[in-house]
PDB file of all heavy atoms in Angstrom:
ATOM      1  N   SER A1459      79.318  82.078 103.584  1.00 95.00           N
ATOM      2  CA  SER A1459      79.782  81.716 104.929  1.00 95.00           C
ATOM      3  C   SER A1459      81.221  82.166 105.148  1.00 95.00           C
ATOM      4  O   SER A1459      81.577  82.640 106.235  1.00 95.00           O
ATOM      5  CB  SER A1459      79.670  80.207 105.154  1.00 95.00           C
ATOM      6  OG  SER A1459      78.317  79.827 105.142  1.00 95.00           O
ATOM      7  N   GLN A1460      82.058  82.017 104.127  1.00 93.00           N
ATOM      8  CA  GLN A1460      83.452  82.454 104.241  1.00 93.00           C
ATOM      9  C   GLN A1460      83.543  83.964 104.427  1.00 93.00           C
ATOM     10  O   GLN A1460      84.371  84.451 105.204  1.00 93.00           O
ATOM     11  CB  GLN A1460      84.241  82.026 103.002  1.00 93.00           C
ATOM     12  CG  GLN A1460      84.472  80.539 102.917  1.00 93.00           C
ATOM     13  CD  GLN A1460      85.079  80.114 101.592  1.00 93.00           C
ATOM     14  OE1 GLN A1460      85.034  80.843 100.593  1.00 93.00           O
ATOM     15  NE2 GLN A1460      85.644  78.915 101.579  1.00 93.00           N
ATOM     16  N   ILE A1461      82.677  84.706 103.740  1.00 95.00           N
ATOM     17  CA  ILE A1461      82.674  86.161 103.880  1.00 95.00           C
ATOM     18  C   ILE A1461      82.248  86.553 105.294  1.00 95.00           C
ATOM     19  O   ILE A1461      82.863  87.417 105.931  1.00 95.00           O
ATOM     20  CB  ILE A1461      81.756  86.816 102.820  1.00 95.00           C
ATOM     21  CG1 ILE A1461      82.343  86.614 101.434  1.00 95.00           C
ATOM     22  CG2 ILE A1461      81.547  88.302 103.122  1.00 95.00           C
ATOM     23  CD1 ILE A1461      81.394  86.952 100.297  1.00 95.00           C
ATOM     24  N   VAL A1462      81.208  85.920 105.808  1.00 96.00           N
ATOM     25  CA  VAL A1462      80.737  86.216 107.165  1.00 96.00           C
ATOM     26  C   VAL A1462      81.823  85.876 108.181  1.00 96.00           C
ATOM     27  O   VAL A1462      82.103  86.649 109.100  1.00 96.00           O
ATOM     28  CB  VAL A1462      79.424  85.460 107.471  1.00 96.00           C
ATOM     29  CG1 VAL A1462      79.043  85.572 108.931  1.00 96.00           C
ATOM     30  CG2 VAL A1462      78.299  85.979 106.581  1.00 96.00           C
ATOM     31  N   GLU A1463      82.454  84.718 108.012  1.00 96.00           N
ATOM     32  CA  GLU A1463      83.530  84.298 108.918  1.00 96.00           C
ATOM     33  C   GLU A1463      84.678  85.307 108.915  1.00 96.00           C
ATOM     34  O   GLU A1463      85.171  85.704 109.974  1.00 96.00           O
ATOM     35  CB  GLU A1463      84.042  82.924 108.488  1.00 96.00           C
ATOM     36  CG  GLU A1463      85.156  82.384 109.339  1.00 96.00           C
ATOM     37  CD  GLU A1463      85.658  81.049 108.811  1.00 96.00           C
ATOM     38  OE1 GLU A1463      84.828  80.203 108.416  1.00 96.00           O
ATOM     39  OE2 GLU A1463      86.886  80.859 108.786  1.00 96.00           O
ATOM     40  N   GLN A1464      85.094  85.741 107.726  1.00 96.00           N
ATOM     41  CA  GLN A1464      86.190  86.705 107.636  1.00 96.00           C
ATOM     42  C   GLN A1464      85.779  88.074 108.177  1.00 96.00           C
ATOM     43  O   GLN A1464      86.600  88.793 108.753  1.00 96.00           O
ATOM     44  CB  GLN A1464      86.690  86.813 106.189  1.00 96.00           C
ATOM     45  CG  GLN A1464      87.441  85.600 105.709  1.00 96.00           C
ATOM     46  CD  GLN A1464      88.674  85.307 106.541  1.00 96.00           C
ATOM     47  OE1 GLN A1464      89.436  86.196 106.908  1.00 96.00           O
ATOM     48  NE2 GLN A1464      88.869  84.042 106.852  1.00 96.00           N
ATOM     49  N   SER A1465      84.516  88.441 108.021  1.00 97.00           N
ATOM     50  CA  SER A1465      84.041  89.714 108.568  1.00 97.00           C
ATOM     51  C   SER A1465      84.122  89.690 110.093  1.00 97.00           C
ATOM     52  O   SER A1465      84.523  90.687 110.712  1.00 97.00           O
ATOM     53  CB  SER A1465      82.605  89.992 108.122  1.00 97.00           C
ATOM     54  OG  SER A1465      82.558  90.152 106.728  1.00 97.00           O
ATOM     55  N   GLY A1466      83.764  88.567 110.694  1.00 97.00           N
ATOM     56  CA  GLY A1466      83.908  88.417 112.147  1.00 97.00           C
ATOM     57  C   GLY A1466      85.363  88.508 112.558  1.00 97.00           C
ATOM     58  O   GLY A1466      85.705  89.135 113.572  1.00 97.00           O
ATOM     59  N   ARG A1467      86.233  87.898 111.778  1.00 97.00           N
ATOM     60  CA  ARG A1467      87.670  87.955 112.069  1.00 97.00           C
ATOM     61  C   ARG A1467      88.167  89.401 111.979  1.00 97.00           C
ATOM     62  O   ARG A1467      88.951  89.855 112.816  1.00 97.00           O
ATOM     63  CB  ARG A1467      88.438  87.063 111.097  1.00 97.00           C
ATOM     64  CG  ARG A1467      89.907  87.023 111.394  1.00 97.00           C
ATOM     65  CD  ARG A1467      90.601  85.876 110.669  1.00 97.00           C
ATOM     66  NE  ARG A1467      91.986  85.867 111.038  1.00 97.00           N
ATOM     67  CZ  ARG A1467      92.994  85.922 110.176  1.00 97.00           C
ATOM     68  NH1 ARG A1467      92.748  85.918 108.887  1.00 97.00           N
ATOM     69  NH2 ARG A1467      94.230  85.943 110.587  1.00 97.00           N
ATOM     70  N   LEU A1468      87.700  90.132 110.965  1.00 97.00           N
ATOM     71  CA  LEU A1468      88.091  91.531 110.825  1.00 97.00           C
ATOM     72  C   LEU A1468      87.654  92.335 112.045  1.00 97.00           C
ATOM     73  O   LEU A1468      88.412  93.165 112.564  1.00 97.00           O
ATOM     74  CB  LEU A1468      87.501  92.141 109.552  1.00 97.00           C
ATOM     75  CG  LEU A1468      87.811  93.613 109.297  1.00 97.00           C
ATOM     76  CD1 LEU A1468      89.308  93.847 109.149  1.00 97.00           C
ATOM     77  CD2 LEU A1468      87.068  94.104 108.067  1.00 97.00           C
ATOM     78  N   ALA A1469      86.445  92.079 112.520  1.00 97.00           N
ATOM     79  CA  ALA A1469      85.948  92.790 113.703  1.00 97.00           C
ATOM     80  C   ALA A1469      86.842  92.518 114.920  1.00 97.00           C
ATOM     81  O   ALA A1469      87.175  93.443 115.668  1.00 97.00           O
ATOM     82  CB  ALA A1469      84.508  92.380 113.995  1.00 97.00           C
ATOM     83  N   ARG A1470      87.241  91.251 115.099  1.00 97.00           N
ATOM     84  CA  ARG A1470      88.118  90.914 116.236  1.00 97.00           C
ATOM     85  C   ARG A1470      89.487  91.574 116.112  1.00 97.00           C
ATOM     86  O   ARG A1470      90.001  92.157 117.062  1.00 97.00           O
ATOM     87  CB  ARG A1470      88.281  89.401 116.353  1.00 97.00           C
ATOM     88  CG  ARG A1470      87.057  88.683 116.911  1.00 97.00           C
ATOM     89  CD  ARG A1470      87.331  87.208 117.201  1.00 97.00           C
ATOM     90  NE  ARG A1470      87.866  86.457 116.077  1.00 97.00           N
ATOM     91  CZ  ARG A1470      87.144  85.939 115.073  1.00 97.00           C
ATOM     92  NH1 ARG A1470      85.835  86.102 115.063  1.00 97.00           N
ATOM     93  NH2 ARG A1470      87.717  85.273 114.102  1.00 97.00           N
ATOM     94  N   VAL A1471      90.079  91.481 114.919  1.00 97.00           N
ATOM     95  CA  VAL A1471      91.405  92.064 114.699  1.00 97.00           C
ATOM     96  C   VAL A1471      91.337  93.580 114.859  1.00 97.00           C
ATOM     97  O   VAL A1471      92.226  94.194 115.459  1.00 97.00           O
ATOM     98  CB  VAL A1471      91.953  91.652 113.309  1.00 97.00           C
ATOM     99  CG1 VAL A1471      93.220  92.410 112.962  1.00 97.00           C
ATOM    100  CG2 VAL A1471      92.208  90.150 113.255  1.00 97.00           C
ATOM    101  N   HIS A1472      90.276  94.192 114.348  1.00 98.00           N
ATOM    102  CA  HIS A1472      90.105  95.645 114.451  1.00 98.00           C
ATOM    103  C   HIS A1472      89.983  96.070 115.910  1.00 98.00           C
ATOM    104  O   HIS A1472      90.633  97.020 116.354  1.00 98.00           O
ATOM    105  CB  HIS A1472      88.868  96.072 113.655  1.00 98.00           C
ATOM    106  CG  HIS A1472      88.686  97.548 113.600  1.00 98.00           C
ATOM    107  ND1 HIS A1472      87.954  98.241 114.535  1.00 98.00           N
ATOM    108  CD2 HIS A1472      89.157  98.460 112.718  1.00 98.00           C
ATOM    109  CE1 HIS A1472      87.976  99.519 114.234  1.00 98.00           C
ATOM    110  NE2 HIS A1472      88.696  99.684 113.131  1.00 98.00           N
ATOM    111  N   THR A1473      89.146  95.366 116.660  1.00 97.00           N
ATOM    112  CA  THR A1473      88.959  95.690 118.076  1.00 97.00           C
ATOM    113  C   THR A1473      90.274  95.598 118.828  1.00 97.00           C
ATOM    114  O   THR A1473      90.631  96.501 119.603  1.00 97.00           O
ATOM    115  CB  THR A1473      87.913  94.744 118.713  1.00 97.00           C
ATOM    116  OG1 THR A1473      86.664  94.941 118.037  1.00 97.00           O
ATOM    117  CG2 THR A1473      87.740  95.020 120.191  1.00 97.00           C
ATOM    118  N   ASP A1474      91.015  94.521 118.595  1.00 97.00           N
ATOM    119  CA  ASP A1474      92.317  94.352 119.255  1.00 97.00           C
ATOM    120  C   ASP A1474      93.299  95.442 118.840  1.00 97.00           C
ATOM    121  O   ASP A1474      94.064  95.939 119.670  1.00 97.00           O
ATOM    122  CB  ASP A1474      92.921  92.978 118.939  1.00 97.00           C
ATOM    123  CG  ASP A1474      92.137  91.837 119.563  1.00 97.00           C
ATOM    124  OD1 ASP A1474      91.300  92.092 120.455  1.00 97.00           O
ATOM    125  OD2 ASP A1474      92.366  90.679 119.144  1.00 97.00           O
TER     126      ASP A1474
END
Side-chain angles (χ1 to χ4, degrees):
S1459 294
Q1460 290 172 341
I1461 293 168
V1462 171
E1463 180 183 318
Q1464 289 300 317
S1465 296
R1467 183 165 182 236
L1468 179 61
R1470 286 188 306 278
V1471 171
H1472 185 270
T1473 298
D1474 292 346

